[in-house]
Amino acid sequence: MFANYMLPTWIAASFLALAAGAIGYFTVIRRSVFAAHALPLSAFPGGAAAVLTGIDPMIGLLGFAFLGVVFVQQSSRLGPKDLAIGLLLSSFLALGALLLSLTGAYAPAVYALLFGEVLGIPHRELLPTAAVSLLVLAVTVLSFRPLLLQSAAADLATICGINRAGMEWLFLGLLAIVTATALPVVGTLLVFTLLVAPAAAAQRLSAHPARAFLISIALAELLVWSAIALSYWSNWPLGFFVGTLGAVLFVVLRGGGLLPSPSGIRARLSRRETSWHHGAGPNSGTRPDG
Amino acid sequence: MPSSSTPAPTEPLLQIENLGVRLGGRQVLEGLDLSLESGVLCGLIGENGAGKTTLLRSILGLQRIASGTIRLAGGSVGKARDLVGYVPQKIAFDPQLPLRTRDLVELGLSGRHFGLPWRRRRYQAATKAALAAVGAEHFADQRLGRLSGGQQQRAVIAHALVREPRLLLLDEPLANLDFRSTTSLVQLLGTLVREHGLTVLVTAHDMNPLLPVLDRLVYLVGGRAATGTVDEVVRPDVLSGLYGYPVTVLRHHGRFLVLPDAPDGPGEMRHAGTELPPPSPREEA
Amino acid sequence: MLQALAVDWSAFFADSAVQTALVIGVCAALINASLGVFTLLRGHAFAGHALGDISSAGGAASFLLGISALWGFLGMAWAAALAMAWLGLREARERDLATGIVLGAGLGLTALLLYLAMTTTSASGSTVTVLFGSLFALPPSLAPVVLLLTFGTLCVIVLGYRPLLLIAADADLARAQGIPVALLELVYLLLLGLAAAISAMTVGAILATALLLGPAGAALQLATRPVWAFLLAALLAVLAVVLGILLSWQSYYWFSGTSWPVSFFIVLLTLLEYLGAGLWTAFWGGSTWTTAAPPPSACAEDC
């Protein structure tokens, strides 16, 4: 499992998880789940173009990821944000499909681009991957407080003099970089689970911002390592393990909260109504079904 | 706050002259004058759409004004931003948000600063003081999203106070609060003014809960305002002039009810159901 | 050169692959356009997208098991729809996160099934077929089934039009009128699953979103009444599909013997329709009744 040819994968994946866990933390706080799903898909034609023209995949992926950032950032001008993002991501995917059909790329190449590949990082990409991941982590840590305030309460951040659009660009830019770097390993369709699942679970585990941030990174490492190990042993695709283990992680650490009983939903809804109309009790800090 | 920005005793903290604001071709505020000294609690009373939020946003420098001037501590609005704390109207945090009350308050001070948290100790001391000022110590370590509406409001007030502003703006803080939370919030506002010397400008559609602590009143109708103490403003002649048609002011156990005059003369009510707020001449969404 | 521009209509319509593609494509357009309007009115764009994506696991399974692709897609889409109904689509705040996690698990399953299909069967093109569609390669025997399903769906929509619209606008209002909201929610989700499945065969599982949201989004910008929104959406969707098929068929002559994928043209056309509708409303004013997105927070433009 730790054979020579596997070493780059282990090292690269560890660095990637650092960056993914860090930016995923803010993705979940901002509830930018759909955007985090759309960005990898918008990077997809970049990967396809790299197959077609033979350029460095990293350049193609980054270029299209940033194009996706521009569209996502401006998408609210095109109408309801969800609708605009949905249409843009299908358009990018369709463009990728066209490029792949033009190359006549054989099936395993298409598959690797979509669902990832354990050996997706060649030796020469190791240093850039590590550097980019560390850079993203450093920027995230240095802008931690403004980004946190802006993500948690955009209105209050504006009053504090934090530039809203600037923060959005910063967040989406970092997200695009992480996406493009992680895509060759985890795959277009599953990068986003790596971003969201550990961070969502971490949110449930701690209300302390710095602690939740570190837990998110730790869980991302755990997810990636176990996915690589299982993929190595079973010879099954990496994407399968990232997707399913991500869901398992989320469900288990939420204490089964993903599957509430119907009565639980009803109780929660009715409690929300009461608190809306009359204000909740003086110390409603604990929720029985939390 | 730097002591150099402290105005001379005669100079008001907030001075608004002839303020006019247009939104989408509609005159939202017109010819508004207001002058507030330090240590005053002023109520901004009006119905939905009377221009209350627009006035607050103008003071924050978030709203382009069409005419008039707003001066804060003798300076322009943009320069004096740190003098103003703001508590927005709709406060609802996600139940899963990984943020405690303490963290939100600390972000009020540190939220602007990029880089590593060098000044953590100073932040924490200020946070502790702000939490104490609003009586939020007992839920300081709880998740924001799991607090009651009144508690979330206190958290945001502490978030605004931690920067030590001199003017605190609150947008409809009493909406959606139960009786008990309303009373304790009004008491808190009174304490902030009397003991901490803050100037507070609070909007409400109902003036009655605020009456025990109110020093000054701005009554907004359709963008125009009457300003003064409660006794100066809440009078039939003043309000009739503001509404543009005759209104009656009923007073009962120290509370007010403003009603449009019944066609057959003041004071004579035919239906029990006339306790509606007076219809605004400019109805809007 | 002339040959590249002039469409050989008789050859086009005589081609049996084109005939099947037209029938199934138009069915997909009709179902998706009408359900898309409901989806957008409810603000379920992400859920609708996820349903299409997850159905890809069923498509992959159908390759592995050797059953018809329709039943594979449909089975998985319905399973996902039931899961969503169970999770409760109402809880808007948790919805996106839960949808996203389920979506990830579904796509992970797709990865495994496609891998197994690639390695254990001879169907090496399964990845492209499942994810990006294969409208020209559908068996003609599928057409009657799809026609029947479409007819049934449209009947349900016409019969339940008012209650469904009321639920989309305000579920509490509908409940107060005694409408069986829970039942109709389930019907809506099952129909959405059906739309995703048929659309997955037409343009591909991960492109199904375009057909669901594009024409409906364009129609909602233009139409001034709900009925017109449905009719306009249907018209625009059919237009996109038929034109897409024609362009793809014709592209064989443009690019020296390699035809461009039909899904690419259909997605591109739906995007153009949506953008065109946006331009139209910008210049000539648009509808007034749709539940558009909330205006961006007032702070956005100032700071």
Side-chain angles (χ1 to χ4, degrees), chain A residues 31 34 37 78 83 87 89-91 93-94 98 101 107 111 114-115 158 190 192-193 204 235-236 240 254 258, chain C residues 45-46 49 53 87 93-94 100 104 107-108 111-112 115 124 131-132 206-207 213-214 260-261 264 267 271 274 303:
Chain A
R31 302 272 145 171
F34 204 6
H37 177 60
L78 287 173
L83 165 60
L87 280 179
L89 73 85
S90 357
S91 307
L93 274 176
L98 171 68
S101 87
Y111 182 89
L114 286 166
F115 295 108
T158 308
L190 290 157
F192 126 98
T193 304
R204 290 303 186 95
N235 221 3
W236 283 1
F240 168 68
R254 276 183 49 154
L258 182 68
Chain C
F46 189 36
H49 166 76
D53 275 14
L87 290 174
R93 294 194 157 171
E94 275 293 280
L107 286 171
L112 177 64
Y115 171 78
S124 62
L131 296 176
F132 298 114
I206 57 178
L207 296 177
L213 302 182
W260 285 20
F264 169 74
V267 172
L271 179 72
Y274 180 73
C303 314

Side-chain angles (χ1 to χ4, degrees), chain C residues 191-239:
Chain C
L191 290 185
L192 198 59
L194 180 66
I198 296 184
S199 170
M201 287 190 305
T202 315
V203 288
I206 57 178
L207 296 177
T209 321
L211 207 50
L212 183 71
L213 302 182
L220 281 176
Q221 284 180 309
L222 297 173
T224 48
R225 272 199 243 159
V227 183
W228 293 357
F230 282 94
L231 295 179
L232 192 58
L235 184 73
L236 287 173
V238 170
L239 190 71

Side-chain angles (χ1 to χ4, degrees), chain B residues 30-240:
Chain B
E30 199 177 344
L32 191 137
D33 295 313
L34 178 65
S35 173
L36 291 181
E37 305 81 38
S38 290
V40 173
L41 203 157
C42 177
L44 188 55
I45 310 298
E47 293 150 37
N48 289 337
K52 290 172 294 185
T53 304
T54 308
L55 178 55
L56 293 193
R57 288 172 52 79
S58 308
I59 297 170
L60 285 165
L62 298 177
Q63 182 70 56
R64 189 176 297 156
I65 57 180
S67 62
T69 53
I70 303 178
R71 294 182 76 74
L72 270 170
S76 68
V77 171
K79 283 180 187 161
R81 206 175 223 183
D82 277 0
L83 296 179
V84 189
Y86 177 59
V87 179
Q89 183 171 0
K90 277 179 204 150
I91 298 165
F93 291 101
D94 201 312
Q96 260 73 53
L97 188 67
L99 216 57
R100 301 164 302 172
T101 309
R102 185 185 298 287
D103 301 315
L104 179 76
V105 177
E106 192 178 319
L107 281 173
L109 201 59
S110 67
R112 247 182 309 188
H113 300 303
F114 289 84
L116 296 169
W118 298 121
R119 284 169 287 189
R120 195 76 204 276
R121 203 166 292 257
R122 193 169 71 78
Y123 294 150
Q124 278 168 344
T127 302
K128 210 172 165 192
L131 285 168
V134 301
E137 296 109 322
H138 64 283
F139 55 84
D141 287 315
Q142 290 187 26
R143 245 175 230 253
L144 275 173
R146 310 236 166 130
L147 304 176
S148 71
Q151 288 172 325
Q152 293 195 1
Q153 204 143 40
R154 274 167 196 261
V156 177
I157 293 175
H159 165 95
L161 286 181
V162 74
R163 258 174 298 160
E164 299 187 10
R166 297 185 56 204
L167 174 65
L168 184 63
L169 311 178
L170 297 103
D171 199 354
E172 291 278 3
L174 303 179
N176 300 324
L177 287 191
D178 58 22
F179 286 134
R180 197 162 52 158
S181 309
T182 303
T183 316
S184 67
L185 183 62
V186 170
Q187 273 172 5
L188 169 64
L189 295 183
T191 312
L192 289 177
V193 172
R194 310 285 173 254
E195 288 175 17
H196 298 260
L198 228 68
T199 304
V200 171
L201 184 58
V202 48
T203 75
H205 51 263
D206 178 15
M207 71 187 105
N208 287 312
L210 289 168
L211 287 177
V213 295
L214 218 52
D215 300 313
R216 200 79 59 79
L217 188 68
V218 179
Y219 203 106
L220 266 177
V221 177
R224 292 182 307 128
T227 313
T229 63
V230 176
D231 291 330
E232 285 167 3
V233 173
V234 190
R235 286 164 37 172
D237 50 335
V238 174
L239 293 186
S240 295

Side-chain angles (χ1 to χ4, degrees), chain C residues 40 76 148 205 269-270:
Chain C
L40 285 182
M76 198 61 199
L148 208 65
L269 286 168
T270 56

